[in-house]
């Protein structure tokens, strides 16, 4: 029986156990994105079971769900997990796997079938299992991982709470003496109410378990912001044999726009530039409390490429183990219409790649800001789905429709450019796309799916065209004044020959978009306005498909060919750890001299023999939204000949080895340009700051805003007043919670304004507020926004003369 000892997980003899594993997601509670299914109202476990019951009756629904569960995970999966070197499996469970949905507080006849089988498979291979209540009665969030999206009733429904306590009594009674059970995970991501409510319910479930089982480790989950603060010190409150649980997904949900997977995970695992953030912050907290940590979900390889993704995954597991933390990635298996690992999907294994084009619609290339915010690539290197050669099924000529589609969530702006679109016959090199280089809309038909997109077929401004483009490009953006989710694009008909092979190519770029996708499809039917284009390869419409078709889909999961993530297969079991994140020293002594021929940078050369060169980065604001300016710089100097005279720039450099990149050096800046006012100033052009971060902004005009304010954080701007007088400031603000806001200081004195920030309805829901009048003298000034509250964002401010 495992137990806790200070910050360690130990066995019965007190020996430290280093536990690394994965989650069996989509098995005992389905998440349809993990199986490439869903649609027509069937989007989660509950809607699937309801539709099967409606169509075939309750008993047939039960038989089909059993067939699915018997097929999704089989003994070959346990063998493969063992082959990855794993010794821990987190098992997400829906409440109705155990409790009879028709008879509350009654065990199903087969209540323990899958849990007992999973534990037996684990024991057979020397592995442990964490029992995770992923979906409680009533639902503990609005999201579909609970099995039933849109509910979130657990927090207010005392019957649901009582049934959940009963459920844990049954689980604890069943497994109280089972040593292969590593821990009880009481509630997955219980974020549907306040942190205080979470603590109340979790501690209540802890007491329920302890009434039956005094032996097993019990997990206390973090809140939605990753915080474990709300629990205080569990030991001081009498809670024993407990561990905290976190679900860190750095960079995957738009919080690090423009950064590479390497940078994101380097900062998380190596604690950032200061050495105090990332895992170090958690290590300090749990070390002070002397309680272990369980990293219950994390995803370090997605979108990083197979080899680098494998190295980052190994470094993640090794780093967690170095602190004594147990860890299970999300997730073991992912099935998609296309199949294959691509540049790194979420699955450790996926279904084998299928490039055959036959009937329906096929996604042939894709990137999104969730996969790789700030992409600029060819279709062949697209971060979500890479374009490749494809073969057309059957014989004879067939009409298909090539679709380019983009869009964004209701609170976000897309800004995506495309060029050099080509589909060629690999045998004859014949081109099938008309006007793939744009310059006009010739050959293309507009497709409006929801909302409206602004389509510019002749866009050519520098800075927003994809690398490798030539001349005019197609640009898709949100039109001014259009609100809500938007989705649409362009298409054209092409003729393909059955039995022939074709290659798709092109380039596209995300220009600071937020919550945005860009997708290319080949469909066998003409697109229809108002109807979305989705990949239907291998999909079953559960609302109309025959019972046989559904059976075949479910049974097929047991025997479908797998593609194992090659980077994980190599690096997770390698006797030699990869060199990734063994960082060279940060360059020092960065200096800048402005001249007529450019901005000349010099720094102290590295003495590290492994350093192969340097990277130079440039930003227009002190918040450090740096873009790569030069790579593979061999000497300790660089001249930026692209700098615009009179523009304020900030520069940093890093040292690189064959594998790694150091943190940034201290910055060097050109002479600050004082911005003339009256006028509008974008928040991201700040000249000094403390504590804040930039993020992609979905306000009109896009760009970035400044957020993550805490009390005493500040941002500064240099302004020049031409004529003394009375002024006001318009502030462009957003907050999901409301805030006591900020003070506005002039030249170090609190003299201008104090502004509270209202709850605007969301972090990207913007309002304009105006200051009281104030006086400024002519000349140069420094304006500082000093935060007195937290949880507010600033997009821009405008100084107005009165």
């Amino acid at each position: 029986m495992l137990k806790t000892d200070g910050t360690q997980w130990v066995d019965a003899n007190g020996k430290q156990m280093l536990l690394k594993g994965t989650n069996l997601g989509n098995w005992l509670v389905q998440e349809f994105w993990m199986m490439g299914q869903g649609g027509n109202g069937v989007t989660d476990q509950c809607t699937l079971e309801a539709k099967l019951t409606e169509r075939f009756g309750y008993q047939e629904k039960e038989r089909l769900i059993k067939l699915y569960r018997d097929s999704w995970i089989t003994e070959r999966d346990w063998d493969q997990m063992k082959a990855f070197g794993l010794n821990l499996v987190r098992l997400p469970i829906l409440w109705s796997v155990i409790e009879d949905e028709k008879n509350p507080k009654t065990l199903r006849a087969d209540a323990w079938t899958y849990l007992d089988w999973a534990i037996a498979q684990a024991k057979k291979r020397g592995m442990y299992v964490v029992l995770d209540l992923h979906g409680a009665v009533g639902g503990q969030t609005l999201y579909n991982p609970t099995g039933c999206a849109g509910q979130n009733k657990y927090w207010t429904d005392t019957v649901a709470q009582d049934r959940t306590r009963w459920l844990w009594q049954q689980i604890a009674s069943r497994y109280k003496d089972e040593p292969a059970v590593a821990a009880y995970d009481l509630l997955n991501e219980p974020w549907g109410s306040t942190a205080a409510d979470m603590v109340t319910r979790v501690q209540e479930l802890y007491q329920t378990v302890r009434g039956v089982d005094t032996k097993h480790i019990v997990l206390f989950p973090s809140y939605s912001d990753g915080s474990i603060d709300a629990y205080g010190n569990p030991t001081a409150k009498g809670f024993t044999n407990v561990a905290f649980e976190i679900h860190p997904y750095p960079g995957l949900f738009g919080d690090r726009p423009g950064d590479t997977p390497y940078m994101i995970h380097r900062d998380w695992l190596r604690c950032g530039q200061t050495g105090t953030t990332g895992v170090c912050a958690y290590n300090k907290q749990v070390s002070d409390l002397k309680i272990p940590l369980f990293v219950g979900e994390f995803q370090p390889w997605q979108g990083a490429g197979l080899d680098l993704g494998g190295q980052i995954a190994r470094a993640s597991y090794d780093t967690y183990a170095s602190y004594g933390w147990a860890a299970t990635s999300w997730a073991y298996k992912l099935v998609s219409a296309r199949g294959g690992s691509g540049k790194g999907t979420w699955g450790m294994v996926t279904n084998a790649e299928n490039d055959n084009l036959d009937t329906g619609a096929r996604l042939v290339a894709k990137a999104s800001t969730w996969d790789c915010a700030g992409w600029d690539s060819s279709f062949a290197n697209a971060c979500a789905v890479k374009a490749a050669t494809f073969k057309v099924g059957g014989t004879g000529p067939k009409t298909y429709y090539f679709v380019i589609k983009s869009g964004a969530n209701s609170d976000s702006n897309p800004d995506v450019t495309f060029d050099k679109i080509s589909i060629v016959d690999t045998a004859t090199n014949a081109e099938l796309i008309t006007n793939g280089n744009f310059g006009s809309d010739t050959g293309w038909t507009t497709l409006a799916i929801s909302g409206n997109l602004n389509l510019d077929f002749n866009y050519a401004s520098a800075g927003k065209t994809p690398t490798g483009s030539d001349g005019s490009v197609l640009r898709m953006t949100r039109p001014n004044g259009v609100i809500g989710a938007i989705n649409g694009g362009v298409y054209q008909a092409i003729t393909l020959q059955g039995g022939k092979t074709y290659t798709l190519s092109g380039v596209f770029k995300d220009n600071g978009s937020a919550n945005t996708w860009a997708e290319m499809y080949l469909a066998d039917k003409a697109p229809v306005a108002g109807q979305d284009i989705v990949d239907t390869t291998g999909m079953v419409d559960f609302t109309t498909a025959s019972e046989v078709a559904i059976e075949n889909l479910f049974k097929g999961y047991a025997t479908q060919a797998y593609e194992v993530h090659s980077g994980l297969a190599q690096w997770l079991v390698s006797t030699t750890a990869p060199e990734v994140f063994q960082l060279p020293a940060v360059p020092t002594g960065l200096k800048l001299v402005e001249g007529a021929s450019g901005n000349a940078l010099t720094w102290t050369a590295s003495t590290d023999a492994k350093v192969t060169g340097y990277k130079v980065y440039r930003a227009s604001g002190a918040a450090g939204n740096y873009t790569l300016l030069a790579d593979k710089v061999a000497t300790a100097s660089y001249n930026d000949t692209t700098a615009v005279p009179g523009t304020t720039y900030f520069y940093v450099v890093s040292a690189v080895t064959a594998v790694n990149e150091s943190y940034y050096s201290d910055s060097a800046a050109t002479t600050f340009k004082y911005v003339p006012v009256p006028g509008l100033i974008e928040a991201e052009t700040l000249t000094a700051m403390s504590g804040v971060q930039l993020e992609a902004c979905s306000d009109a005009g896009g760009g970035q805003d400044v957020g993550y304010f805490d009390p005493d954080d500040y941002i500064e701007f240099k302004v020049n007043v031409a004529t003394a007088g009375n002024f006001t400031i318009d502030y462009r603000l957003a907050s999901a919670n409301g805030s006591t806001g900020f003070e506005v200081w002039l030249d170090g004195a609190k003299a201008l304004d104090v502004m509270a920030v209202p709850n605007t309805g969301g972090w990207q829901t913007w309002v304009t507020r105006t200051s009281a009048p104030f006086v400024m003298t002519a000349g140069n000034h420094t304006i500082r926004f000093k935060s007195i509250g937290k949880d507010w964002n600033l997009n821009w401010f405008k100084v107005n003369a009165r």
Side-chain angles (χ1 to χ4, degrees), residues 328-465:
T328 51
S329 63
W330 192 277
Y332 165 69
K333 179 179 176 180
L334 180 76
V335 169
S336 64
R338 178 67 175 267
S341 297
K343 288 189 70 176
T345 63
W346 285 59
M348 303 180 81
V349 300
T350 64
N351 53 317
E353 187 169 359
N354 170 23
D355 279 328
N356 288 332
L357 179 68
D358 198 355
T359 59
R362 180 63 180 267
L363 179 64
V364 289
K366 177 183 177 181
S368 78
T369 54
W370 297 279
D371 293 303
C372 56
W375 79 80
D376 180 7
S377 75
S378 66
F379 292 172
N381 288 312
C383 60
V385 175
K386 295 189 295 184
T389 58
F390 57 90
K391 186 175 182 180
V392 180
T395 59
K398 299 182 179 183
T399 299
Y400 285 88
Y401 299 85
F402 177 67
V403 183
I404 304 175
K405 185 165 75 79
S406 185
N409 291 349
S410 59
D411 61 349
S412 302
N413 282 335
D415 187 349
V416 184
T417 47
F418 303 83
D419 197 19
K420 303 187 79 170
I421 312 297
S422 173
I423 295 178
V424 298
D425 182 329
T426 57
T428 65
N429 209 35
E431 177 63 64
L432 283 83
I433 293 293
T434 299
N435 190 24
N437 289 321
F438 302 106
S440 72
D441 62 359
T442 300
W444 297 98
T445 300
T446 299
L447 173 64
I449 298 170
S450 61
N452 289 301
L453 274 173
N454 184 51
L455 303 176
D456 185 347
F457 291 87
N458 194 32
Y459 184 81
S461 297
K464 291 196 173 184
T465 56

Side-chain angles (χ1 to χ4, degrees), residues 47 55 84 101 216 219 342 367 378 396 505 602 654 672 738 783:
T47 53
R55 296 189 62 206
F84 278 126
E101 62 187 291
H216 278 103
L219 300 173
S378 66
S505 61
T602 59
S654 64
F672 288 142
I783 293 179

